[in-house]
Amino acid sequence: MAFLLRRAAETLLVLLVLSVLVFLLTSMAPGDPAEEILRRGGIQPTAGSVAVLRAELGLDQPLPVRYVRWLSEVVRGDLGHSYVDRSPVTGEILARLPATLRLAGAAALVAGGLAVLASLRPRGLGGRVVTAVTVVVASVPPYIVGILLISVVAVGLRALPTGGDSGPGALVLPALTLGLAGAATLTRLLRADLAQALALPFVRLAAAKGLSARRAVTVHALRVAAPNAITAGGAVLADLVAGAVVVETLFSWPGVGQLAISAIRQRDVPVVQAYVLVIGAATVLLLALVDLCLAAADPRVRRR
Amino acid sequence: MRRRAAIVVPAMLLGMVLSGCGGSPEAQEDAGLLTLAAPRDLVAGPQDPYFTHQTLRVWEPLVNVDDKLRPVPALATSWESAEGGRRWTFTLREGVRFSDGTALNAEAVVANVQRFLRIAPRQSAFFSLDAGMEAAYGQLEEVRADGGRVTFELRRPVADLPGRLAGFFSMVQSPKAFAASGDFAANPVGTGPYTLARWVKGQQAELAANPHYYGAAPAYKKIVVKVIPDANARVAALRAGEVDGLIDKGALLSGQVAAVAADSRFRVVRSPSALTHYLTFNGSREPFSDPRLREAAELAIDRRTIAEKLLAGTAKPGAAFLSPVFGDLSDPGVAASYDPARARALVSAAGRPAAPVTILISSAETGQFPYTDVAEVLRAAFEQAGLPAKVTMAEATKAVMEAGDYDVFLSAYSVPNGDADYLFRRFLRSDAAWNVDRKLGYRSQEFDALVDQAATETGQAERRDLYRRLQRLLAADRPMIPLAYQDNPVVTTTGVGGVVQNAAYVVDLGKLTPSSG
């Protein structure tokens, strides 16, 4: 119980620091958002209009006042209004979150599937192929992998859509691009752990007693390897959400990453703030969750 | 092992398929459907002053511009001025209905103008209700409906009101479409050949033919405009046959045009736009406070190479301050000479500056145009002429310029409509914010007087002569120099014909027709 309370307090503190950072980073960015907003299509705005808009957006207030106002609204679930089209940002993020989660989920399946495939029989044909592929892919930026997949599979073979979210097939290429990047990390971690676990005396005894190989792996070895796998999984998931920005842009995937990129281009500060805050908070909570899982799986953690 | 792979791999694929939501599979090519893609969402939603971009042809303005930025009839069939340009009366097209079936009348037009005035200044995803609004309605005393016509009473004469109203600033939608706040109550209700049938924000807009349209029914019953922000992804979708064309501002990057145009499946349409790349000089400090060095800088630049090589033929070398899209307002007598030898001589005569001149570019613009390369070419040209130079890229160029911490600034500007006065008045008049705040240091009483005279001159020929005199003055004084006039290339498959784009990037979707090759 004490452990839980301590972790909760730590998490809250981290979230508060995160909110200050997010606000400062986006508010201290050079340039005047009011002027940027009014300058559409290369038209110079008038000084009077810029002043009116600055006041309307509350940009003429001192920074601490703006921060407190922003945070009190965020706590109530109101992430402000887009500078560009004045729509509520919370709705915008919520509308796009499912697409990002679907992409990250599918990519996690790809990464996890490949990692397990490579780890179970590291010397088998499948294991070698997967290992080779993930090593090659890991050394190439996802953007290039995505472009290659688009030009070969979508443009050359016309087997799958080049982008957008127009049906089940559209998820395959972005999920592959994103999943391959995560697979490499996961494979390295899982393989080393599993090899170690499989070499442990009690697992070898189980195998000697005549347990099937599959049972030896799934019941005994994986349990020993679990703590590290949970940690690795958490880290890879956080990577996937971050990597989604590039992949979503490349494949016109309508998730929060694509929203963030277009918001950055248009200096839509409230949307950028909301994106960084939501993703940051999700990562913090995910890591806290990983900690809890570890504590459940390994009593030594709780006593630290 | 192999058996396990045979289970795992299909299971993974199945998982991916199952995790996809029930999107409709790609619609089969049917005769009445056209699919296009644009770099941005051409629908901005109910909080935007216009809801949709003019390109979608959901709404129409009173006045349009053609490819020479001349005002041409849209919902107004004719207009006349009285009292030396202090009163303008617009005659409306007969038999026009909004897409909800109600008739268009002068009262509806007046309600639209009054709404604009009430909510300005307001940001928009397309054209802010700001500088262009002021140019259009800044002198407005009263707007009223009289006998089916719309009359604007102005405080001061405006010679080219129709041109200033053209496009977004004279949009007409049914007054019933607006809520009390000035936002839209629900969907846009206009008079164009299409209605907005469905919109998925940031993904696509679906247009359906408007049954109440007064003109000839459009060839396509349905048009889908997808949003594909990434330039490479847009071209990939075109090559894969997923879209029939790419439209809107920046549809193709200048570097992509040659390859797409060389493909026999596609037809690239280049039309001049109102966008011009200008060099702005900091004339309030050394070295460019010296007119000889501004002249040297201009003579050192090979504009033809910049337009043809760096901008890959998507632009024409600049000469007169007003680009050729201004038709005969642009002065054909202004020549852009390239003379490096004379540039060197001028620098020697004026004295070589000790510190390098700063060429400033904005990081926000490098994604759209190859400004990094252009700035590098400018730097080399200046060095050749004996002017040491360096390139600075800044995120917030406004702050840098207002601090006077630059010598040359490269950027592209456009006009809100056919309004030539805007460029002179907003950028270079002695009291223009651009001139004063950005430290151009340009003060010319002759120039100021000519700008004011031209703005109120209603005689066509006289007005043209005044604008040409202004351009010759600027060619001699050089506070800013036009580097290149930018085209906007758009592309469709050869199966789509009737592609016409005006100078404000508006492709008339109502005129697109299926064509054979």
Side-chain angles (χ1 to χ4, degrees):
Chain A
M1 196 62 222
F3 166 79
L4 274 182
L5 278 176
R6 206 178 62 232
R7 286 295 304 149
E10 278 171 11
T11 305
L12 265 180
L13 187 68
V14 170
L15 285 176
L16 192 67
V17 172
L18 173 77
S19 78
V20 174
L21 280 179
V22 167
F23 184 80
L24 283 182
L25 280 178
T26 45
S27 307
M28 309 276 282
D32 179 355
E35 166 147 8
E36 299 280 347
I37 292 162
L38 287 172
R39 188 175 36 217
R40 296 264 161 233
I43 311 294
Q44 272 310 100
T46 58
S49 298
V50 173
V52 168
L53 186 60
R54 281 185 68 86
E56 193 183 308
L57 300 173
L59 293 170
D60 51 354
Q61 302 289 327
L63 214 54
V65 174
R66 280 162 55 195
Y67 170 73
V68 171
R69 186 182 296 172
W70 173 74
L71 190 64
S72 65
E73 280 167 358
V74 167
V75 171
R76 289 198 297 265
D78 176 5
L79 291 166
H81 289 256
S82 155
Y83 280 174
V84 175
D85 60 11
R86 300 167 62 244
S87 59
V89 178
T90 309
E92 195 89 353
I93 298 257
L94 287 179
R96 282 168 168 266
L97 212 49
T100 295
L101 292 177
R102 263 194 298 132
L103 174 60
L109 278 179
V110 172
L114 288 175
V116 169
L117 206 63
S119 310
L120 286 179
R121 290 282 179 84
R123 287 181 196 78
L125 177 67
R128 279 172 199 266
V129 169
V130 170
T131 308
V133 167
T134 50
V135 165
V136 170
V137 168
S139 52
V140 179
Y143 190 78
I144 306 291
V145 175
I147 286 179
L148 284 175
L149 283 175
I150 288 176
S151 52
V152 175
V153 182
V155 178
L157 302 175
R158 298 205 174 186
L160 290 165
T162 57
D165 181 12
S166 52
L171 182 61
V172 177
L173 291 185
L176 263 181
T177 307
L178 193 54
L180 283 170
T185 319
L186 212 51
T187 306
R188 273 200 309 276
L189 291 161
L190 204 61
R191 262 176 65 177
D193 284 345
L194 257 183
Q196 250 183 345
L198 284 170
L200 285 172
F202 85 92
V203 179
R204 289 170 58 176
L205 175 69
K209 278 196 328 195
L211 270 184
S212 72
R214 186 171 303 174
R215 250 191 96 70
V217 169
T218 49
V219 176
H220 296 287
L222 271 177
R223 190 178 298 172
V224 178
N228 286 346
I230 291 171
T231 314
V236 168
L237 266 181
D239 275 355
L240 289 184
V241 172
V245 175
V246 173
V247 175
E248 283 178 7
T249 305
L250 189 59
F251 288 94
S252 317
W253 186 258
V256 285
Q258 194 199 28
L259 178 73
I261 291 291
S262 68
I264 289 169
R265 275 196 195 131
Q266 304 187 53
R267 293 196 162 261
D268 198 345
V269 174
V271 176
V272 179
Q273 273 177 347
Y275 169 79
V276 179
L277 189 74
V278 168
I279 296 300
T283 310
V284 169
L285 292 175
L286 184 75
L287 293 177
L289 191 69
V290 166
D291 261 8
L292 290 183
C293 291
L294 280 181
D298 186 347
R300 289 170 303 177
V301 173
R302 289 194 291 266
R303 286 198 294 273
R304 268 211 304 257
Chain B
M1 179 64 234
R2 232 176 250 127
R3 231 186 42 232
R4 183 167 294 121
I7 295 167
V8 172
V9 174
M12 266 164 46
L13 287 173
L14 183 70
M16 280 166 37
V17 168
L18 288 179
S19 64
C21 77
S24 61
E26 285 292 318
Q28 290 302 304
E29 284 292 318
D30 69 81
L33 172 71
L34 177 73
T35 308
L36 301 169
R40 57 178 172 170
D41 199 338
L42 292 171
V43 181
Q47 276 106 1
D48 187 82
Y50 322 99
F51 206 126
T52 62
H53 194 280
Q54 195 187 341
T55 290
L56 300 185
R57 296 297 310 278
V58 167
W59 56 264
E60 295 176 307
L62 277 186
V63 183
N64 246 327
V65 286
D66 63 5
D67 58 357
K68 284 272 182 274
L69 284 176
R70 287 174 301 223
V72 290
L75 287 177
T77 49
S78 63
W79 41 84
E80 55 202 36
S81 69
E83 293 183 41
R86 252 218 291 278
R87 176 186 304 139
W88 285 87
T89 305
F90 292 78
T91 305
L92 297 184
R93 191 178 293 276
E94 308 252 312
V96 177
R97 295 192 169 280
F98 288 110
S99 57
D100 64 358
T102 57
L104 166 81
N105 55 25
E107 285 74 13
V109 176
V110 171
N112 275 267
V113 175
Q114 283 169 340
R115 166 180 172 265
F116 275 154
L117 294 168
R118 197 173 70 242
I119 63 176
R122 175 172 292 190
Q123 69 263 42
S124 157
F126 311 123
F127 282 101
S128 302
L129 289 177
D130 173 42
M133 250 315 267
E134 196 174 298
Y137 298 113
Q139 301 299 338
L140 186 66
E141 178 94 48
E142 184 204 9
V143 54
R144 63 172 189 272
D146 51 15
R149 307 202 306 168
V150 180
T151 298
F152 294 88
E153 297 282 357
L154 308 178
R155 279 190 289 274
R156 290 227 302 273
V158 175
D160 57 337
L161 188 73
R164 295 184 182 208
L165 294 180
F168 282 85
F169 303 116
S170 64
M171 171 190 88
V172 181
Q173 292 203 35
S174 167
K176 282 188 235 160
F178 306 125
S181 63
D183 292 349
F184 282 81
N187 274 335
V189 183
T191 58
Y194 288 101
T195 58
L196 182 63
R198 196 165 157 267
W199 175 47
V200 185
K201 187 174 178 169
Q203 289 186 61
Q204 62 179 46
E206 291 169 26
L207 308 173
N210 169 13
H212 295 286
Y213 183 52
Y214 58 84
Y220 294 100
K221 294 274 169 292
K222 188 176 160 192
I223 296 184
V224 172
V225 184
K226 293 184 171 184
V227 184
I228 308 183
D230 187 83
N232 294 321
R234 272 198 303 281
V235 172
L238 180 74
R239 288 191 193 283
E242 290 166 25
V243 301
D244 306 311
L246 309 178
I247 57 161
D248 192 32
K249 181 181 175 181
L252 287 168
L253 296 180
S254 40
Q256 296 175 315
V257 176
V260 173
D263 192 324
S264 62
R265 293 173 298 169
F266 308 125
R267 194 172 358 189
V268 173
V269 173
R270 299 160 200 237
S271 46
S273 76
L275 196 72
T276 300
H277 303 278
Y278 287 101
L279 280 184
T280 301
F281 286 112
N282 179 348
S284 62
R285 77 169 187 191
E286 300 268 312
F288 290 128
S289 52
D290 184 337
R292 288 173 300 175
L293 289 175
R294 291 203 299 273
E295 186 181 353
E298 178 170 29
L299 290 171
I301 300 169
D302 180 1
R303 300 185 212 186
R304 183 160 301 284
T305 301
I306 289 175
E308 284 170 7
K309 296 284 189 300
L310 297 180
L311 296 165
T314 62
K316 306 211 169 23
F321 194 81
L322 291 181
S323 83
V325 295
F326 282 94
D328 63 358
L329 290 188
S330 175
D331 189 343
V334 175
S337 36
Y338 167 52
D339 188 346
R342 185 161 156 62
R344 268 196 302 278
L346 279 165
V347 174
S348 309
R352 183 190 164 100
V357 300
T358 306
I359 302 166
L360 177 69
I361 51 175
S362 160
S363 56
E365 291 185 285
T366 49
Q368 200 185 348
F369 298 112
Y371 275 178
T372 330
D373 303 346
V374 175
E376 208 44 52
V377 165
L378 292 176
R379 190 191 62 75
F382 289 175
E383 298 258 358
Q384 285 264 304
L387 285 167
K390 65 175 202 283
V391 177
T392 304
M393 194 189 308
E395 180 70 25
T397 49
K398 177 175 185 257
V400 175
M401 292 172 85
E402 287 181 350
D405 198 10
Y406 77 103
D407 295 298
V408 191
F409 177 55
L410 166 65
S411 185
Y413 296 99
S414 178
V415 285
N417 34 41
D419 176 16
D421 174 67
Y422 163 89
L423 278 170
F424 299 113
R425 185 175 299 276
R426 292 250 163 249
F427 285 83
L428 294 171
R429 214 176 168 285
S430 295
D431 57 359
W434 181 263
N435 185 350
V436 177
D437 299 347
R438 313 274 169 136
K439 312 286 186 273
L440 271 64
Y442 184 55
R443 301 283 175 274
S444 163
Q445 289 184 333
E446 187 190 353
F447 178 86
D448 294 0
L450 281 173
V451 170
D452 293 345
Q453 208 183 326
T456 55
E457 175 60 67
T458 46
Q460 287 277 344
E462 292 83 350
R463 199 162 154 260
R464 186 195 62 215
D465 292 342
L466 286 168
Y467 277 126
R468 291 190 175 183
R469 273 177 64 193
L470 274 169
Q471 288 166 86
R472 283 197 289 280
L473 194 60
L474 291 180
D477 293 349
R478 297 187 184 82
M480 289 169 78
I481 53 176
L483 202 61
Y485 308 127
Q486 184 65 46
D487 290 350
N488 189 53
V490 293
V491 58
T492 59
T493 60
T494 48
V496 181
V499 181
V500 194
Q501 184 181 220
N502 79 0
Y505 322 106
V506 175
V507 170
D508 190 341
L509 298 192
K511 286 205 171 66
L512 299 180
T513 54
S515 81
S516 45

